[in-house]
Amino acid sequence: MFKNCRLSTKILFVAVVITAAFGLTFAWVLPKFKKSFYDANCTKTKHLVEAAWNVLDHYAKLSQTGGMPVGEAQKTAKELIKKMRFDADNYFWINDLEPRMVMHPIKAEMDGQNLADYKDPNGKRLFGAFVEVCRKDGAGFVDYYWPKPGSPKSVAKISYVKLVPEWGWIVGSGIYLD
């Protein structure tokens, strides 16, 4: 087939085949890499929320055994969670099952507010979704849109939330998907 072709044609053909093979390999690997990166970030977020949950669980159990009054235990736990950060500016928040914001370290104006009707730009009642997941499974992931700290524009985000049943509190954190 290539006996009568010039050397430049043969070289060009090999280059096209190599480029096509590279393109197909890249098209096959990129989605797998994205999914792996996404899964790793979800797992990391879950583990970090579980660490924050352990702080709340410790104080909830301490208040149940009489080691500390409930109000004092909740205040101490809430202040600890408020100060916790990871990856520079990521944070944890706490809402309850009403859903009412117990503590948001970035948007303090939300503290104490009923969030049952709070919607993201796509109309999703995200705090209601947090409550639903926690009532059903005790913990889980919820996707929605939320503005990054210091920005008014909402971007895709997925959060992991976990219920502290003794207090009816939900602790959560999330990762932006942009």
Side-chain angles (χ1 to χ4, degrees):
M1 172 176 166
F2 291 105
K3 279 186 179 181
N4 297 333
C5 293
R6 296 189 334 222
L7 180 61
S8 61
T9 304
K10 292 176 184 178
I11 292 172
L12 182 62
F13 177 76
V14 169
V16 168
V17 168
I18 289 172
T19 302
F22 178 76
L24 290 172
T25 302
F26 186 74
W28 180 71
V29 168
L30 185 63
K32 292 182 183 313
F33 176 76
K34 281 184 175 181
K35 179 162 179 17
S36 175
F37 183 74
Y38 174 83
D39 290 346
N41 277 316
C42 287
T43 299
K44 173 182 150 186
T45 302
K46 178 181 178 183
H47 292 161
L48 289 165
V49 168
E50 287 173 345
W53 180 89
N54 280 322
V55 170
L56 295 172
D57 184 59
H58 169 75
Y59 282 96
K61 298 236 183 325
L62 191 61
S63 70
Q64 282 185 323
T65 61
M68 185 181 273
V70 174
E72 185 182 332
Q74 288 178 332
K75 181 180 179 190
T76 303
K78 186 169 52 170
E79 289 303 314
L80 284 170
I81 300 299
K82 187 175 194 171
K83 293 176 185 173
M84 291 173 67
R85 295 288 187 280
F86 62 96
D87 292 342
D89 59 357
N90 288 316
Y91 56 87
F92 302 93
W93 79 88
I94 304 168
N95 61 270
D96 64 19
L97 294 169
E98 191 170 317
R100 181 176 302 277
M101 184 60 71
V102 173
M103 182 282 302
H104 196 289
I106 306 297
K107 295 187 173 204
E109 67 275 8
M110 294 177 76
D111 291 358
Q113 299 294 314
N114 184 311
L115 303 168
D117 294 325
Y118 192 94
K119 298 176 188 172
D120 75 0
N122 294 333
K124 184 171 191 169
R125 287 187 166 97
L126 56 132
F127 291 96
F130 298 153
V131 170
E132 185 179 319
V133 163
C134 286
R135 282 196 173 155
K136 181 179 177 216
D137 300 320
F141 288 98
V142 176
D143 62 325
Y144 58 98
Y145 284 79
W146 188 263
K148 284 186 172 182
S151 172
K153 185 177 182 243
S154 293
V155 294
K157 187 173 187 177
I158 187 165
S159 287
Y160 186 78
V161 292
K162 187 166 183 175
L163 177 66
V164 180
E166 297 87 351
W167 292 345
W169 284 6
I170 296 170
V171 63
S173 189
I175 53 171
Y176 293 97
L177 301 177
D178 65 338

